[in-house]
Amino acid sequence: SYSHLTYLTAYCKAHHPIEFMTASLRLSHDKLDPNEEIQKIVRECAELGIRVKPPTLLKPCVTFTEFDKTIYFGFSNIKGIGEAKAEELVKCFDSPPQTWYEALCQSCHLSKTLIVNSIKAGVFSYLKVPCRKMLDDYTNIQLLSGKETEFLRENWMVYSDFATLFQAVKGEAQTKRKEKVQAICDFIIK
């Protein structure tokens, strides 16, 4: 039976290499050292001419997935993000945001660890905004209260930019929070 399994594995690898390598990457989390196994498989993919790309919202997936003859890392493969958080990220962005403004407003309610690790992994890099700015903006958005964040998330499509959006958020904020909201707005706009 071991010989039969070896034959089937070799056949799959020879005739369906992308599917085989995608499955191998998905199963790598069961290995003793998953990171080492992933690196080994990614090197082997390069030798076979198979492209492996980092996670991106342009091709959202929870785990390793093949799109157009390219294997993409899934969101659950980002350090500190499990499958449940990865699914939450996929659900949050039913279509890829076209601007950082849109991405920030849609994700403001998600956990800081999820978004920060996603930014560092390059999930939003296609938006062509420097990583440092994305991290700073998200950190500042987290300073909003729950009610302010909810308003921002529900109403961002009505406003064309951060300045007008934050004026509306400031209007909804309690009197003692208006200065804080303005400071957050000033930091993000600069």
Side-chain angles (χ1 to χ4, degrees), residues 36-125:
E36 185 179 316
E37 184 70 16
I38 289 171
Q39 289 174 4
K40 181 180 129 198
I41 295 170
V42 168
R43 280 192 302 273
E44 195 171 343
C45 285
E47 291 170 8
L48 294 170
I50 299 170
R51 295 176 8 165
V52 180
K53 292 192 167 187
T56 178
L57 280 175
L58 295 175
K59 305 288 184 187
C61 51
V62 174
T63 187
F64 292 100
T65 306
E66 183 261 328
F67 291 105
D68 303 323
K69 303 201 184 279
T70 301
I71 300 172
Y72 287 87
F73 274 73
F75 298 141
S76 67
N77 302 110
I78 299 170
K79 185 177 181 174
I81 298 176
E83 281 194 31
K85 290 287 184 192
E87 287 173 7
E88 192 177 339
L89 190 60
V90 169
K91 285 178 188 170
C92 179
F93 297 104
D94 51 350
S95 65
Q98 300 304 306
T99 64
W100 174 236
Y101 169 74
E102 182 180 344
L104 186 60
C105 292
Q106 283 183 292
S107 66
C108 65
H109 67 289
L110 297 174
S111 78
K112 186 173 182 175
T113 303
L114 174 60
I115 298 302
V116 167
N117 290 356
S118 296
I119 290 169
K120 289 178 181 178
V123 170
F124 300 97
S125 62

Side-chain angles (χ1 to χ4, degrees), residues 9-10 12-13 16-31 33-34 36-42 44-45 48 50 63-65 71 77:
T9 303
C12 288
K13 187 173 182 182
H16 306 284
I18 293 175
E19 293 84 356
F20 179 82
M21 292 310 225
T22 303
S24 298
L25 285 165
R26 284 183 181 171
L27 295 171
S28 63
H29 72 276
D30 292 335
K31 301 293 182 175
D33 187 353
E36 185 179 316
E37 184 70 16
I38 289 171
Q39 289 174 4
K40 181 180 129 198
I41 295 170
V42 168
E44 195 171 343
C45 285
L48 294 170
I50 299 170
T63 187
F64 292 100
T65 306
I71 300 172
N77 302 110

Side-chain angles (χ1 to χ4, degrees), residues 133-148:
K133 171 138 179 62
M134 287 191 271
L135 290 169
D136 289 344
D137 288 352
Y138 188 77
T139 300
N140 279 292
I141 284 288
Q142 291 294 295
L143 298 175
L144 293 174
S145 71
K147 184 179 176 186
E148 294 160 355

Side-chain angles (χ1 to χ4, degrees), residues 128-167:
K128 306 290 188 228
V129 174
C131 183
R132 182 80 254 156
K133 171 138 179 62
M134 287 191 271
L135 290 169
D136 289 344
D137 288 352
Y138 188 77
T139 300
N140 279 292
I141 284 288
Q142 291 294 295
L143 298 175
L144 293 174
S145 71
K147 184 179 176 186
E148 294 160 355
T149 302
E150 186 179 325
F151 179 86
L152 183 127
R153 198 179 83 203
E154 291 175 357
N155 296 292
W156 67 270
M157 289 182 276
V158 176
Y159 303 95
S160 59
D161 58 29
F162 282 120
T164 53
L165 174 63
F166 272 92
Q167 288 307 311

